[in-house]
Amino acid sequence: MVSRFEHPAGSYKKIFETCEDLAEALPATVTGRIPPFLKGSLLRLGPGLFEIGDEPFYHLFDGQALMHKFDFKNGQVTYFRKFIRTDAYVRAITEKRVVITEFGTFAYPDPCKNIFSRFFSYFKGVEVTDNCLVNVYPIGEDYYAVTETNYITKVNVETLETLKKVDMCNYVNINGVTAHPHIEKDGTVYNIGNCMGKGASLAYNIVRTPPTQKDKSDPIEKSKVVVQFPSAERFKPSYVHSFGMSENYFVFVETPVKINLLKFLSAWSIRGSNYMDCFESNESQGTLFHIAKKDPGEYIDVKFKGAAIGMFHHINTFEDQGFIVFDLCSWKGFEFVYNYLWLANLRANWDEVKKAAMMAPQPEVRRYVIPLDVHKEEQGKNLVSLPYTTATATMHSDGTVWLEPEVLFSGPRQAFEFPQINYQKFSGKNYTYAYGLGLNHFIPDRICKLNVKTKETWVWQEPDSYPSEPLFVQTPEGVDEDDGVLLTIVAAPGSQRPAYLLILNAKDLSEVARAEVECSIPVTFHGMYKH
């Protein structure tokens, strides 16, 4: 699953270049045969505007949200895209400057306002960005483009028009929610965000939003907190990007990467800082693993601990014989991986890209196992008795349970990231296959498949081709877990048609078809296939 290619030509820089809205859908040139069961749309989100006027955005997560759509119809494919008209985008375009501070880019105060009005606006609190460039998912009958703040943006997924901005703070006690909810078959949505808990100390809330309502009211208005996880530090929540959910449990991984809230609230406006300035690592904490019962929500107060990791994406979580098994895309150590995702790093020449990645935390796919039945007297003994994993859980004398993982995949500076599974059928269940985007020194250059039971791997890769997260679509009459196709958008900057939708057979990653377009497509993060 390791990359076979070097990228000395540096054509990956093109995936971090600004592009335009499209006025209408473009026809794609199809080679191969589009599977007849593909009749819906592939929706993807990512940054599309990387500078405004002469002001650059500095970080990978700062560019303004662009929504992409490939439509399938009768074996033909069209491509369409539109910037989401967020406040951040509309105001930037209108004023030709960065108006709202993004993840790694500070917005300078309006030079036209006098010193007094500027001074007062500092005390009105932070203007939080609504730049929803990370993912899109359904709530009830609606679709929302999202980032990690409290704002989500309702979009029309047919026309890609922006409908309205929704502030989740109006409905539940959270400061933000992740871009990685879990969605049950009936449409119930679960998500997690940090919040102010009892006695002004921090916590993390799991929020449940019910499915489509019979009376056609908005399900968001009926969102409720179902369970609360405590925070290891009173004023410093850990950065949380996703969480695990099995049939009956939630898993929350509290990493040593912290948001310093005091810094966030005080230094923000005055010093010209951005979100990235408010992160720090607690080098002594390690990683804390929390579990809670799902229904009714109940926090299980056992301290599960492990060595320090950074973690963005859970792959899958399931229960087996009294254990919770969860697989993660982890990064070893306590350093924040986002420190390596400044655009200047990603746009550097290949030798520089490699040199920077040598300093970064090492990626590793890991399996952890938590025993549900823990007895204080079983000190020093491995509590995990599942026959198929080497992951261990050991009771220490202070009552903490130390977790050691089983490594499912490891390659130096080769990450298996942006993981996907056959979510429809195997989310929360004992599963065999994970699909991922292969990062080679942080540059996305291959599609990977991993058998989590045997550790066997498959790779699709072509020179100077930069794919994105692969989404799995099941063959309607498919029996096996991997009966289906993977959909990914590939940037091929040197080609006559510089981008294409690629369809791979999920069994062996052989190419089924591609649909090429006559325009370039920048990097995308996450998305969904809409039937």
Side-chain angles (χ1 to χ4, degrees), residues 45-46 61 131-139 144-153 168 176-183 189-194 239-243 312-314 338 418-420 423 469 471 525-528:
L45 270 151
F61 304 129
N131 180 25
C132 47
L133 78 163
V134 184
N135 203 358
V136 52
Y137 62 84
I139 299 178
Y144 288 85
V146 299
T147 175
E148 299 185 318
T149 66
N150 50 306
Y151 295 119
I152 62 176
T153 302
M168 289 302 291
V177 287
T178 77
H180 292 287
H182 278 287
I183 302 177
V189 178
Y190 287 95
N191 211 335
I192 189 169
N194 58 50
Y239 174 67
V240 50
H241 189 89
S242 68
F243 65 105
F312 306 102
H313 300 116
H314 279 256
Y338 288 2
F418 295 87
Q420 288 288 330
Y423 191 88
E469 167 191 66
L471 293 174
F525 299 133
H526 300 287
M528 61 174 287

Side-chain angles (χ1 to χ4, degrees), residues 66-130:
L66 180 63
M67 196 164 196
H68 308 259
K69 179 166 73 107
F70 279 92
D71 281 323
F72 302 94
K73 202 172 185 182
N74 309 328
Q76 300 297 307
V77 180
T78 55
Y79 169 65
F80 187 50
R81 69 176 174 224
K82 231 175 177 164
F83 280 100
I84 295 186
R85 272 45 182 184
T86 59
D87 289 351
Y89 175 81
V90 170
R91 290 170 62 183
I93 292 292
T94 311
E95 299 190 31
K96 298 196 173 30
R97 64 186 189 89
V98 178
V99 179
I100 293 180
T101 292
E102 297 293 350
F103 202 74
T105 304
F106 171 68
Y108 286 94
D110 185 346
C112 309
K113 287 188 179 161
N114 69 35
I115 184 90
F116 282 111
S117 64
R118 286 215 304 259
F119 181 75
F120 284 114
S121 70
Y122 283 141
F123 293 97
K124 280 208 296 249
V126 178
E127 241 189 324
V128 173
T129 182
D130 60 345

Side-chain angles (χ1 to χ4, degrees), residues 13-313:
K13 298 174 192 181
K14 289 266 183 223
I15 62 177
F16 311 112
E17 278 182 12
T18 291
C19 65
E20 309 272 305
D21 264 354
L22 289 176
E24 54 195 47
L26 296 179
T29 308
V30 174
T31 32
R33 179 171 168 264
I34 304 290
F37 64 84
L38 288 179
K39 297 186 173 84
S41 311
L42 171 68
L43 302 167
R44 304 280 308 163
L45 270 151
L49 182 76
F50 290 92
E51 66 288 308
I52 181 79
D54 53 7
E55 293 186 18
F57 288 107
Y58 292 107
H59 200 273
L60 179 59
F61 304 129
D62 295 349
Q64 296 300 294
L66 180 63
M67 196 164 196
H68 308 259
K69 179 166 73 107
F70 279 92
D71 281 323
F72 302 94
K73 202 172 185 182
N74 309 328
Q76 300 297 307
V77 180
T78 55
Y79 169 65
F80 187 50
R81 69 176 174 224
K82 231 175 177 164
F83 280 100
I84 295 186
R85 272 45 182 184
T86 59
D87 289 351
Y89 175 81
V90 170
R91 290 170 62 183
I93 292 292
T94 311
E95 299 190 31
K96 298 196 173 30
R97 64 186 189 89
V98 178
V99 179
I100 293 180
T101 292
E102 297 293 350
F103 202 74
T105 304
F106 171 68
Y108 286 94
D110 185 346
C112 309
K113 287 188 179 161
N114 69 35
I115 184 90
F116 282 111
S117 64
R118 286 215 304 259
F119 181 75
F120 284 114
S121 70
Y122 283 141
F123 293 97
K124 280 208 296 249
V126 178
E127 241 189 324
V128 173
T129 182
D130 60 345
N131 180 25
C132 47
L133 78 163
V134 184
N135 203 358
V136 52
Y137 62 84
I139 299 178
E141 314 219 310
D142 302 317
Y143 290 83
Y144 288 85
V146 299
T147 175
E148 299 185 318
T149 66
N150 50 306
Y151 295 119
I152 62 176
T153 302
K154 187 164 145 184
V155 284
N156 177 331
V157 290
E158 298 307 314
T159 63
L160 303 193
E161 272 170 89
T162 307
L163 300 175
K164 68 169 182 176
K165 165 165 141 178
V166 173
D167 182 353
M168 289 302 291
C169 290
N170 293 339
Y171 305 103
V172 276
N173 172 20
I174 43 99
N175 302 328
V177 287
T178 77
H180 292 287
H182 278 287
I183 302 177
E184 296 192 309
K185 284 196 173 53
D186 70 354
T188 304
V189 178
Y190 287 95
N191 211 335
I192 189 169
N194 58 50
C195 66
M196 291 312 272
K198 294 187 189 71
S201 65
L202 278 163
Y204 310 87
N205 279 342
I206 297 251
V207 174
R208 177 184 183 275
T209 302
T212 307
Q213 301 293 294
K214 284 202 178 51
D215 62 3
K216 294 285 180 254
S217 62
D218 187 349
I220 291 179
E221 294 173 7
K222 302 193 169 59
S223 298
K224 287 204 165 44
V225 173
V226 287
V227 71
Q228 187 166 87
F229 292 104
S231 171
E233 290 191 72
R234 197 165 162 188
F235 296 116
K236 294 177 185 176
S238 285
Y239 174 67
V240 50
H241 189 89
S242 68
F243 65 105
M245 187 172 92
S246 65
E247 218 168 312
N248 303 293
Y249 291 89
F250 300 114
V251 175
F252 164 51
V253 179
E254 194 175 16
T255 73
V257 175
K258 302 288 178 181
I259 302 162
N260 183 328
L261 274 199
L262 297 177
K263 218 185 237 178
F264 187 87
L265 296 170
S266 60
W268 183 268
S269 320
I270 298 167
R271 242 208 359 241
S273 33
N274 54 54
Y275 295 76
M276 276 297 287
D277 295 329
C278 302
F279 287 102
E280 56 186 53
S281 289
N282 176 340
E283 298 178 18
S284 60
Q285 178 196 291
T287 303
L288 305 173
F289 300 92
H290 302 269
I291 56 171
K293 277 200 182 115
K294 196 164 138 189
D295 191 20
E298 181 199 347
Y299 178 64
I300 294 170
D301 198 4
V302 179
K303 295 227 172 343
F304 298 103
K305 234 182 138 167
I309 56 168
M311 199 276 298
F312 306 102
H313 300 116

Side-chain angles (χ1 to χ4, degrees), residues 7 11 444-446 460-467 490-493 500:
H7 303 284
S11 48
D445 71 356
R446 61 203 183 279
W460 175 91
Q461 187 171 37
E462 284 186 7
D464 297 321
S465 303
Y466 306 99
V490 183
Y500 56 96

